[in-house]
Amino acid sequence: MTEDPTATFRVEAGELLEQVEQGLLDLGHRLGDMALVNAVFRGLHTLKGSGAMFGFDALAAFTHHCESAFDRVRKGEVPATAELVSVILSARDHMAALVDGDAPQAEGDAILARLAAAVEAARGGGVAADAPAAASGWKLFFRLPADAMANGTNPLMLLDELRDLGEAEVRVRTDALPPLGALVPNECHLGWDVVLRGDITREAIEDVFIFVMDDMTLEIAPLGAEEPAAAAAPAAPVADAPAAVAPIETAAPAAAPGGPPPAAQPAVENVRVPADRLDALMDRVGELVIAQSRLSQLANNRHDLLLRSVTEDIERLSGELRDTMMVLRMVPVSSLFGRFRRLIHDLARETGKAIELQTSGETTEVDKTVIERLFDPLVHIIRNSCDHGLEAPADRIAAGKSETGLVKLSAHQAGGEVLITIVDDGRGIDRERVRAKGEANGLIEPGQQLADEELFGLIFHPGFSTAAQVTNLSGRGVGMDVVKRTIESLRGSISVASEAGKGSTITLRIPLTLAIIEGLLVRVGESRYVIPLSAVEECLELSLEEDLRSRGRSLITLRDRLVPFLRLRDMFASGTRPDPHQKIVVVATGRERVGLVVDQIIGSHQTVIKSLSVFHRGVNSFSGATILGDGGVALILDVAQLVAMAQPREEMLRAAS
């Protein structure tokens, strides 16, 4: 094997722990749901067995105690309680540390002590069910899902396990067999009737199917007084079932006369690929796009029809490969949103508040790199919403609200961006307190008139906090400035809206991908630049006469609204005279708009983003660079920074008006 088995186990263990955590969080809301109890038990059982197989003995030993506790819940010996769920969640974190190999022994011992106390309290506080009684015999029917064998389940092994429980008689059902033309060899369409005799508990039978119970059909009933005698007789075909060959001889009902049988739906297969390999492939695709661009430029300069034909084919194929590669890198935000259920659970216990998390738009897809870098900013925003925004239960009831505070997390795609919103129904942001803090910190002048968006933007300044007291969650004024810098490093933006007594809404605008973007290629003097096309609203012409008239003012009227503009020639000190017919590219981030004056708009450009060197990363006007078809380099403009540079001019305009 070329791959490290322990690395494979760690990946699979992470998935199992995620499933266990989600099951526990669901169980916390539905303590009597035995399906959830069984699902958590199966996850712990699999983790224990796999850990022992791969040499993670400490993990297997620790997980065994948690599995045993849930086994007692599963058998009805103790009820599930909120405290038991909380302890197992803490145990889940310790298991993750054991998988990584950095778990303190003392921490594990403390969790096991809490676990024992929780089980004892549950046993004393609830009515324990009687121990499962053994029966003299059972009759059961089971049918596995069609893809059971493809997923590694062997029906013969399940039948052998049933035979190990006691005397068994097995009869196969073939009533669900498809026509021969539609039969897929590795799909399972059989069912089995089994009669078991002996002192066997129902739980022992269910344990045989514990790993496939969620997807299968399983019917279990005790044998009646007449059943053993009936079962002793020779097995006869089921009355309402056809003979074994009948389904094969019968034509498919939906098939047209003489037409082909309906095609069977193939099972979807997944392949696990390391993320670094995808990144390497993305780099190669980026280089291919650059090479294709150079080839297209060479072909356009020559009158060779054959060369142009081949170039067009390569351009089409590289475009399809690029699009396929982008899809491979896309990950649904459900992988991000699901992690916040645990955060809300822990925050509710820590703050003593009742908090509910609602999510929507989980199928929206974003580049995996963006997903990874969004987690920390969202954690900080959600913690602030729960700590500062949501009131205590008594205060909510006094304000006429429900006792449970609500946090909504949603995502949807808008063009080349994804909008992620965090909404809470708390007390909202205190405008006067924000203003007072801003004046005290020298961020605004006393009595200065500010729109809500500008006022709420003060909370993103370093050290800014309106919390009355510092808590374990927030209040030190550290974090929201980092959140904004992180979002802007993703070429995104963040905005805040709030209504007193009703709550707050924070909106993040994030690009779908950080690897390849559609850009607008422009020229300023002798240099070329790329403006992200997702930020471009429209393009206007600026004549030399209008340019001269606007000197010292730098404003244009666009549909009855004044919009400031920046002369990129002056900003970048190009040292060249302006073209006779300059262009204004109007860009926007959120509600803020600014015009960028350029000499020429060259056209759209598939932009492969390259990071700037360490010597140039401090230049905020640029977010990266790209290589053009002729081998030249074009810098990618950071629209958010350029808009921020134009804001002081717009504020002066508002003050003057």
Side-chain angles (χ1 to χ4, degrees):
M1 295 178 62
T2 58
E3 191 172 351
D4 183 6
T6 58
T8 302
F9 166 73
R10 286 190 171 96
V11 173
E12 294 178 351
E15 295 175 355
L16 284 171
L17 289 170
E18 179 67 22
Q19 294 171 11
V20 168
E21 181 176 89
Q22 297 304 318
L24 288 167
L25 292 171
D26 288 335
L27 184 61
H29 296 286
R30 304 193 299 273
L31 292 173
D33 193 329
M34 294 307 296
L36 291 174
V37 172
N38 287 326
V40 172
F41 174 80
R42 287 194 296 275
L44 295 172
H45 182 76
T46 304
L47 183 64
K48 181 189 76 171
S50 300
M53 182 186 304
F54 285 92
F56 289 77
D57 296 332
L59 171 67
F62 180 83
T63 308
H64 172 73
H65 295 284
C66 302
E67 177 198 19
S68 299
F70 255 81
D71 190 36
R72 299 184 67 178
V73 176
R74 189 172 64 98
K75 293 179 177 178
E77 297 176 10
V78 296
T81 63
E83 177 60 22
L84 180 59
V85 170
S86 178
V87 174
I88 299 294
L89 279 171
S90 299
R92 177 260 175 218
D93 296 339
H94 187 70
M95 293 173 199
L98 286 169
V99 170
D100 294 334
D102 57 355
Q105 178 66 34
E107 178 184 287
D109 294 341
I111 292 174
L112 292 181
R114 287 179 56 201
L115 178 61
V119 171
E120 187 63 28
R123 186 174 64 177
V127 179
D130 294 333
S136 59
W138 300 86
K139 56 182 178 181
L140 61 139
F141 165 73
F142 72 93
R143 188 188 301 279
L144 300 174
D147 60 353
M149 292 188 292
N151 292 332
T153 301
N154 188 338
L156 297 180
M157 294 183 65
L158 298 177
L159 292 171
D160 287 341
E161 290 187 45
L162 290 174
R163 290 188 180 96
D164 291 340
L165 297 177
E167 183 183 348
E169 294 182 7
V170 180
R171 179 169 51 181
V172 67
R173 287 195 193 182
T174 59
D175 53 308
L177 276 174
L180 183 58
L183 184 66
V184 178
N186 63 349
E187 290 187 353
C188 180
H189 299 286
L190 301 177
W192 288 270
D193 290 291
V194 182
V195 175
L196 281 175
R197 297 189 187 86
D199 294 334
I200 307 166
T201 64
R202 183 188 186 95
E203 285 69 21
I205 298 174
E206 291 177 344
D207 284 348
V208 172
F209 304 99
I210 188 169
F211 295 110
V212 291
M213 190 172 294
D214 288 340
D215 302 319
M216 68 176 299
T217 299
L218 177 62
E219 301 170 3
I220 305 175
L223 284 176
E226 75 287 349
E227 187 67 22
V238 180
D240 57 352
V245 295
I248 300 177
E249 296 173 350
T250 304
Q265 295 295 327
V268 177
E269 296 183 0
N270 295 317
V271 178
R272 192 190 307 276
V273 178
D276 55 350
R277 295 186 184 178
L278 282 180
D279 294 337
L281 181 58
M282 186 71 248
D283 291 339
R284 300 298 180 272
V285 172
E287 298 295 335
L288 177 62
V289 170
I290 293 172
Q292 174 268 316
S293 179
R294 296 184 62 186
L295 178 61
S296 297
Q297 186 167 344
L298 289 173
N300 290 334
N301 294 333
R302 301 189 181 186
H303 301 288
D304 189 332
L305 295 180
L306 181 59
L307 176 60
R308 289 190 178 184
S309 175
V310 173
T311 301
E312 290 174 358
D313 288 341
I314 293 178
E315 182 176 358
R316 174 180 57 81
L317 292 172
S318 64
E320 292 174 355
L321 179 60
R322 180 201 65 228
D323 294 341
T324 302
M325 188 63 227
M326 298 306 298
V327 171
L328 288 177
R329 289 172 58 94
M330 302 301 276
V331 178
V333 296
S334 58
S335 62
L336 177 66
F337 286 6
R339 299 162 69 180
F340 296 117
R341 298 183 61 204
R342 173 67 184 279
L343 176 65
I344 292 294
H345 174 274
D346 293 344
L347 289 176
R349 291 179 63 87
E350 189 168 347
T351 61
K353 301 175 181 178
I355 308 174
E356 178 186 354
L357 175 67
Q358 291 183 1
T359 59
S360 61
E362 294 95 329
T363 58
T364 305
E365 292 187 332
V366 187
D367 189 290
K368 69 176 185 65
T369 305
V370 177
I371 288 283
E372 293 165 0
R373 295 171 62 181
L374 273 179
F375 178 71
D376 288 340
L378 285 176
V379 166
H380 194 87
I381 293 171
I382 291 174
R383 289 170 72 96
N384 274 0
S385 295
C386 294
D387 192 30
H388 292 322
L390 298 181
E391 311 94 331
D395 295 336
R396 291 183 62 84
I397 293 175
K401 300 180 180 180
S402 65
E403 182 180 7
T404 301
L406 182 63
V407 175
K408 296 180 180 179
L409 193 59
S410 63
H412 71 274
Q413 184 175 343
E417 295 180 319
V418 169
L419 272 63
I420 297 178
T421 57
I422 304 95
V423 181
D424 68 71
D425 66 345
R427 60 174 63 90
I429 299 177
D430 189 327
R431 289 168 171 76
E432 295 306 317
R433 183 175 292 181
V434 172
R435 173 178 291 279
K437 188 70 174 181
E439 293 176 356
N441 289 359
L443 300 176
I444 56 175
E445 297 294 330
Q448 180 179 346
Q449 295 296 317
L450 295 174
D452 278 352
E453 188 170 353
E454 297 170 314
L455 183 64
F456 295 148
L458 297 177
I459 67 177
F460 297 109
H461 283 78
F464 193 97
S465 176
T466 60
Q469 61 183 6
V470 174
T471 70
N472 291 333
L473 300 181
S474 55
R476 294 178 172 83
V478 178
M480 291 305 287
D481 60 318
V482 178
V483 168
K484 184 177 182 182
R485 287 202 302 270
T486 302
I487 298 302
E488 290 179 347
S489 71
L490 295 171
R491 302 197 311 276
S493 62
I494 182 170
S495 61
V496 180
S498 183
E499 187 173 353
K502 294 188 177 180
S504 304
T505 300
I506 297 180
T507 304
L508 311 180
R509 303 178 70 95
I510 306 295
L512 283 173
T513 178
L514 301 179
I516 298 178
I517 64 170
E518 291 284 348
L520 186 67
L521 187 62
V522 300
R523 180 179 60 81
V524 178
E526 301 298 328
S527 301
R528 289 167 291 182
Y529 303 91
V530 174
I531 305 173
L533 202 57
S534 60
V536 176
E537 289 199 341
E538 56 186 301
C539 299
L540 310 171
E541 187 163 329
L542 178 67
S543 66
L544 183 59
E545 293 77 11
E546 292 174 329
D547 184 25
L548 292 174
R549 282 199 303 268
S550 64
R551 288 288 174 177
R553 188 164 173 260
S554 298
L555 294 167
I556 57 172
T557 302
L558 190 61
R559 285 182 288 280
D560 299 328
R561 179 182 174 187
L562 289 174
V563 176
F565 62 83
L566 303 173
R567 293 178 174 85
L568 297 185
R569 174 183 297 97
D570 297 339
M571 288 184 60
F572 302 150
S574 66
T576 60
R577 296 181 60 82
D579 280 19
H581 298 283
Q582 301 176 83
K583 305 295 187 296
I584 298 180
V585 180
V586 180
V587 296
T589 58
R591 296 173 55 190
E592 303 295 335
R593 297 196 299 173
V594 62
L596 305 177
V597 179
V598 303
D599 287 326
Q600 180 187 4
I601 297 175
I602 300 174
S604 61
H605 184 266
Q606 288 283 347
T607 304
V608 180
I609 301 175
K610 301 290 185 181
S611 300
L612 296 175
S613 70
V614 293
F615 301 104
H616 300 90
R617 287 176 186 169
V619 183
N620 295 330
S621 302
F622 309 112
S623 60
T626 187
I627 301 175
L628 302 176
D630 60 1
V633 175
L635 294 172
I636 303 170
L637 300 183
D638 189 326
V639 173
Q641 290 294 333
L642 294 174
V643 170
M645 295 172 66
Q647 281 179 349
R649 302 188 185 192
E650 193 170 9
E651 291 170 3
M652 292 175 58
L653 169 67
R654 290 174 181 169
S657 60

